[in-house]
Amino acid sequence: MKCILHIGLMKTGTTLLQKWLYQNQQALSAQRIWLSDSLGSPDNYLFTAYFNDQLDDWSRYMKINTLEERRAYFKGFLERLKLEIDEQSKSHDVFIITPKNLNFCFTQSDEFKPLTDFLHGNFDDVRVVCYFRNQFDFAVSGYSEKVKHSSVFDLETYLKEATPESYHFNYLAIADNWSSAFGRDHCDFKIFDKAKFFEGDLRKDFLNSLGCQIDHARLNFCLDSANESLSPLVASGYRAINSVFPTWDPIDGGLHRPNFDLKATVNSIDSLQKGKIASAARAEIEEIFDDANTAFFTKYFNGPNQFKSRIVDAKPEVQFSQSEVERIVFDLLSTILPLKLPGGSLKDGDADYLRDIAVKIENDKELALEDCLALMKLAQRARPSGPFISWKVQDYESRLVAKGKAVPSATHGANRSALSRLFSRFWQTRE
């Protein structure tokens, strides 16, 4: 059985390709091409996580804090994968592995051995497929990806990282490592350029790398875009959010929900979507990489530096009319202001309720119906549209009235939502 290992460098259509492949999982299986669900779909993140011997963003997301916890999580992982490979080799000829961020795990040649030992020990043939993109385009598009995650830097600051000394921009170093690990003849290095794709289509171009006959008519090609870059205005909004609410929760180390929710809110504002992130630094960056790229293309493509475009990008200045600016301000504030409601933050009265209830629980004392109502009203402010919560509030109030007890007034201000709670803190720092 042949393994196709797709090394998806950032911003080379990797997300599109991964989603499209899994969209066609059954149709490809019918043509003897296997895509595994056990590796995590559609980006096979578990494959990367297993072979990465460091605690990374995936570990933080999973709240895995030590290497011991990581080893416990993956206990038996390789054994299960080996069984899957053995089973699927009976009915399939190709096993595609398209892992997210795998290239970030290996920067030195001696780091590849566990990966190569596993693949060579379980497949008859291993082929590496990797697309490379002009470093300027890669950096500008990659900036959007960085801001989506955690970056607070502007574009020009980020572009300073685009140097041959940075491994992830040095294609000669990357190609040397993968060809040394798997053999030059087993590496299919390609240029990420629509003009160079088979029939101008990245998906069909990748299928050509599999080395088998595929009936394209049996596949669904409706999905043609994914992981689109941010607009300049949305990117600026994301940077501001990252600076106030870090991507990772400072308390429990997991994903910081307010960061995620605020970005979704900003991205939903249509008037912020105008324009594309751009820079006038193309000629400068292409010149910086000229020597490294010349060596890369000479060694692996037997030709000249194809990334020397000699095209100078004029930095476009997106012009906004007065009415468009007014619309942006209106849309932004009308979206954000509802998150800041009167009494939107916890106050002393709320602390009294929570303190007293916590002490009762600590001392194994029975909670009263009034305590239940107080907590449920706090929950109602956090989720005002929750039908069960609303029903329980009414239920508790009715039961108190039936007992001839006074219904407590609403507590002094819990949060409308987890998002508004954190956002209210953001506003308080400015009041």
Side-chain angles (χ1 to χ4, degrees), residues 136 139-140 143-144 147 151-163 239 276-285 288 313-316:
F136 171 78
V140 171
Y143 166 74
S144 177
V147 171
S151 178
V152 299
F153 299 117
D154 61 23
L155 175 61
E156 300 311 317
T157 300
Y158 173 70
L159 290 180
K160 293 178 181 178
E161 298 180 14
T163 68
R239 286 172 49 218
K276 292 184 178 181
I277 296 173
S279 168
R282 176 183 292 277
E284 177 184 350
I285 291 178
I288 290 173
D313 283 0
K315 187 174 182 179

Side-chain angles (χ1 to χ4, degrees), residues 243-283:
S243 68
V244 178
F245 304 114
T247 301
W248 302 107
D249 194 309
I251 298 176
D252 66 12
L255 187 66
H256 204 188
R257 190 69 193 186
N259 179 285
F260 178 87
D261 289 342
L262 276 170
K263 286 176 179 174
T265 300
V266 168
N267 197 50
S268 69
I269 302 175
D270 290 339
S271 57
L272 299 182
Q273 304 297 335
K274 184 175 181 178
K276 292 184 178 181
I277 296 173
S279 168
R282 176 183 292 277

Side-chain angles (χ1 to χ4, degrees), residues 20-44:
W20 179 78
L21 287 169
Y22 273 89
Q23 182 187 64
N24 287 276
Q25 186 178 18
Q26 292 184 352
L28 288 168
S29 180
Q31 299 192 55
R32 303 183 65 83
I33 298 166
W34 182 252
L35 288 150
S36 172
D37 283 321
S38 66
L39 297 179
S41 61
D43 56 10
N44 293 176

Side-chain angles (χ1 to χ4, degrees), residues 23 88-89 109 148 170 175 198 200 208 240 242 258 276 284 304 320 332 344 348 355 362 385 388:
Q23 182 187 64
Q88 297 307 323
S89 65
S109 58
K148 286 180 183 179
N170 191 323
F198 176 72
N208 272 359
N242 290 337
K276 292 184 178 181
E284 177 184 350
F320 293 92
L332 183 61
D348 284 346
R355 177 202 62 204
E362 177 187 10
S385 60
F388 179 78

